Amino acid sequence: MESCKVVENVYLLVVVTLISVLQNVFFAQKVERECKNRNMNTSAFERVSCANRNCMDAYPTFLAVMWCAGVCLSQAPAAFAGIIYLLVRQKYFIGYLGQSSQSTPGYLFGKRIIFFLSMMCIIGIFNYLLWRFYGSDYKEYMETITGAASALLLLP
Amino acid sequence: MESCKVVENVYLLVVVTLISVLQNVFFAQKVERECKNRNMNTSAFERVSCANRNCMDAYPTFLAVMWCAGVCLSQAPAAFAGIIYLLVRQKYFIGYLGQSSQSTPGYLFGKRIIFFLSMMCIIGIFNYLLWRFYGSDYKEYMETITGAASALLLLP
Amino acid sequence: MESCKVVENVYLLVVVTLISVLQNVFFAQKVERECKNRNMNTSAFERVSCANRNCMDAYPTFLAVMWCAGVCLSQAPAAFAGIIYLLVRQKYFIGYLGQSSQSTPGYLFGKRIIFFLSMMCIIGIFNYLLWRFYGSDYKEYMETITGAASALLLLP
């Protein structure tokens, strides 16, 4: 029962992490397939390899900030933002492959989601400090507001 | 005492993480040494650099899934799978260095272990949901089965 | 209140993680800016890209070992070491940009801090094992010593 309590607070985050791992494996298999055809089509290999590297560079940052947000404030909006991030990443990866190397999309992506998750962390820490020094706990209001604000991520 | 309880549930995972950090430093030192001899032996530098990059690309994925599996289900099989993964990675790295650049091993490695750890996460979450909605807790059976199944990872 | 307890033990680590995320975004924006000027100044793009890659390669290792140290022993020295690491990384990145490609700083940086954080993990686990098998808890002494030892990181 003890450990079920731990799982209760993070299980949505674990689900999103698993989906992201699945996506990483998908990306890696794309790279491996292109690597075998490297002699035939060099530019395709370079594009898929570059797209994969950009995604992998941003991956630890994303994981860290999503878990911090989920642990500090509440897991449902964090997991929702994580899912949106994975969709954005998928679109970025596909977009990288389809285009010619001259007009590749930029290096950064998902800035808005990372910003939203960072905000969640900061709100969670402020709430903790308020609770510690003033004894007031606004966590429930914060969670409601964050849940509503996470819908804004759906805007294109 | 409070924080000793936290350590109790994760200390094997911390040990595996520390060993993996040690291995990362070993890999990085190999890269640094070859980098200094870069002018003499370009292909050796490229091989070691590529092996290191492939290992580093997969590292956050591995860490995330190992910790999730350890927290969601039980730490001993997760840490065991982590050790096996580190051995596979060591073999992959060494294999990369020894061969000519034409016949390098593929980009992906340790797929079976990542799959096993993901399964552990999924079982842990299912068990939590069962416990929440039906009140039944099969965690002990699960842990026994997982412990036994982790021996299958030793198969070559 | 329940989750405030969780936040209590990690909030400094979360703050350091957020700062590191901010720094990552700063690095990534530098890369993106140089990428747009790629045709004009290839060597500058290569330097900034290489500096960013080296920093990103070491990032998951740093995060993992900082969080382990913070959870296993105590968060204040771990967060302090994390801040020092971020300063070292900033200096490394800037140093990489300023120099010509022939005399770039090495691949590894922050070895002393990673070593200190690993030591903290090992001490935390030893303390847990002592507590489990002998019932003695030296955690407070350890925390005091670690706090004092972390000042040594300020030595150049």
Side-chain angles (χ1 to χ4, degrees):
Chain A
M1 297 301 116
E2 181 67 30
S3 78
C4 272
K5 279 218 175 134
V6 176
V7 177
E8 187 166 16
N9 290 319
V10 296
Y11 74 102
L12 287 175
L13 300 174
V14 172
V15 169
V16 176
T17 306
L18 279 184
I19 297 171
S20 75
V21 166
L22 213 74
Q23 206 183 24
N24 285 347
V25 172
F26 166 75
F27 289 171
Q29 263 170 344
K30 279 269 186 196
V31 173
E32 191 156 44
R33 202 172 309 143
E34 285 299 334
C35 192
K36 281 179 189 148
N37 308 336
R38 192 198 283 227
N39 297 323
M40 284 189 283
N41 194 342
T42 316
S43 89
F45 170 70
E46 266 173 25
R47 277 212 305 281
V48 74
S49 162
C50 187
N52 180 59
R53 187 158 315 138
N54 289 354
C55 288
M56 285 302 114
D57 274 4
Y59 185 60
T61 310
F62 158 68
L63 263 193
V65 87
M66 186 185 77
W67 276 86
C68 285
V71 169
C72 286
L73 199 56
S74 74
Q75 62 167 343
F80 178 73
I83 290 283
I84 303 278
Y85 181 85
L86 294 182
L87 289 176
V88 168
R89 192 166 78 151
Q90 186 75 26
K91 205 177 137 201
Y92 174 84
F93 190 82
I94 301 291
Y96 225 104
L97 301 194
Q99 298 185 11
S100 67
S101 53
Q102 259 70 33
S103 62
T104 47
Y107 179 67
L108 278 170
F109 61 101
K111 275 169 284 191
R112 200 168 43 156
I113 299 165
I114 298 291
F115 178 75
F116 172 76
L117 289 168
S118 305
M119 274 297 120
M120 277 181 68
C121 293
I122 292 170
I123 290 172
I125 290 172
F126 260 102
N127 184 59
Y128 161 71
L129 293 175
L130 277 179
W131 170 77
R132 181 166 165 190
F133 291 114
Y134 298 98
S136 51
D137 191 4
Y138 301 109
K139 193 151 192 178
E140 282 180 31
Y141 303 103
M142 296 295 188
E143 281 178 3
T144 316
I145 295 168
T146 313
S150 67
L152 291 175
L153 291 173
L154 287 174
L155 293 177
Chain B
M1 298 303 113
E2 181 67 31
S3 77
C4 272
K5 279 219 175 131
V6 176
V7 178
E8 187 167 14
N9 290 319
V10 296
Y11 74 102
L12 287 175
L13 299 174
V14 173
V15 169
V16 175
T17 306
L18 280 184
I19 298 172
S20 76
V21 167
L22 214 73
Q23 204 183 26
N24 285 347
V25 172
F26 166 75
F27 289 171
Q29 263 171 344
K30 280 270 186 196
V31 172
E32 191 156 47
R33 203 173 308 144
E34 285 299 334
C35 192
K36 282 178 189 150
N37 307 337
R38 192 198 284 225
N39 296 323
M40 283 189 284
N41 194 341
T42 315
S43 88
F45 170 69
E46 266 173 24
R47 277 212 303 280
V48 76
S49 162
C50 186
N52 180 58
R53 187 159 313 139
N54 290 355
C55 288
M56 285 301 114
D57 274 5
Y59 185 61
T61 310
F62 158 68
L63 263 194
V65 85
M66 186 185 75
W67 276 86
C68 285
V71 169
C72 286
L73 198 57
S74 74
Q75 62 167 340
F80 179 73
I83 291 281
I84 303 277
Y85 181 85
L86 294 181
L87 289 176
V88 168
R89 194 166 75 151
Q90 186 75 25
K91 206 177 137 201
Y92 174 85
F93 191 82
I94 302 290
Y96 225 102
L97 302 193
Q99 299 186 10
S100 68
S101 53
Q102 260 68 34
S103 61
T104 47
Y107 179 68
L108 278 170
F109 61 102
K111 273 170 284 191
R112 201 168 40 156
I113 299 165
I114 298 291
F115 178 75
F116 173 75
L117 289 168
S118 305
M119 274 296 121
M120 278 180 69
C121 294
I122 292 171
I123 291 173
I125 290 173
F126 260 103
N127 184 59
Y128 161 70
L129 293 176
L130 277 180
W131 170 78
R132 181 166 168 190
F133 291 113
Y134 297 99
S136 50
D137 191 4
Y138 300 110
K139 193 153 191 177
E140 281 180 33
Y141 302 102
M142 297 294 188
E143 282 177 3
T144 316
I145 293 168
T146 313
S150 68
L152 291 176
L153 291 174
L154 287 173
L155 292 178
Chain C
M1 299 302 115
E2 180 67 33
S3 79
C4 271
K5 280 221 175 129
V6 176
V7 177
E8 187 165 16
N9 290 318
V10 297
Y11 75 103
L12 288 175
L13 300 174
V14 173
V15 170
V16 176
T17 306
L18 280 184
I19 298 171
S20 76
V21 167
L22 215 72
Q23 205 183 25
N24 285 347
V25 172
F26 167 74
F27 289 171
Q29 262 170 345
K30 279 269 184 196
V31 172
E32 192 156 47
R33 203 172 308 143
E34 285 300 333
C35 192
K36 280 178 190 150
N37 308 336
R38 192 198 283 227
N39 296 324
M40 285 188 283
N41 194 341
T42 315
S43 88
F45 170 70
E46 265 174 24
R47 278 212 303 281
V48 75
S49 163
C50 186
N52 180 58
R53 187 159 314 139
N54 290 354
C55 288
M56 285 301 115
D57 274 4
Y59 185 60
T61 310
F62 158 67
L63 264 194
V65 85
M66 186 186 76
W67 276 85
C68 285
V71 169
C72 286
L73 199 57
S74 75
Q75 62 166 341
F80 179 74
I83 290 284
I84 303 277
Y85 181 85
L86 295 182
L87 290 176
V88 168
R89 192 166 78 151
Q90 186 76 24
K91 207 177 134 200
Y92 174 85
F93 190 82
I94 301 292
Y96 225 104
L97 302 193
Q99 299 187 8
S100 68
S101 53
Q102 260 70 34
S103 62
T104 47
Y107 179 68
L108 277 169
F109 62 101
K111 274 171 284 190
R112 200 168 42 154
I113 298 165
I114 298 290
F115 178 75
F116 173 75
L117 288 167
S118 305
M119 274 295 121
M120 278 182 68
C121 293
I122 293 171
I123 291 173
I125 290 173
F126 260 103
N127 184 60
Y128 160 70
L129 294 176
L130 277 180
W131 170 77
R132 181 165 167 190
F133 292 113
Y134 298 100
S136 51
D137 191 4
Y138 300 109
K139 192 152 192 178
E140 282 181 32
Y141 302 102
M142 297 293 190
E143 281 177 3
T144 316
I145 294 169
T146 313
S150 67
L152 292 175
L153 291 174
L154 287 173
L155 292 178

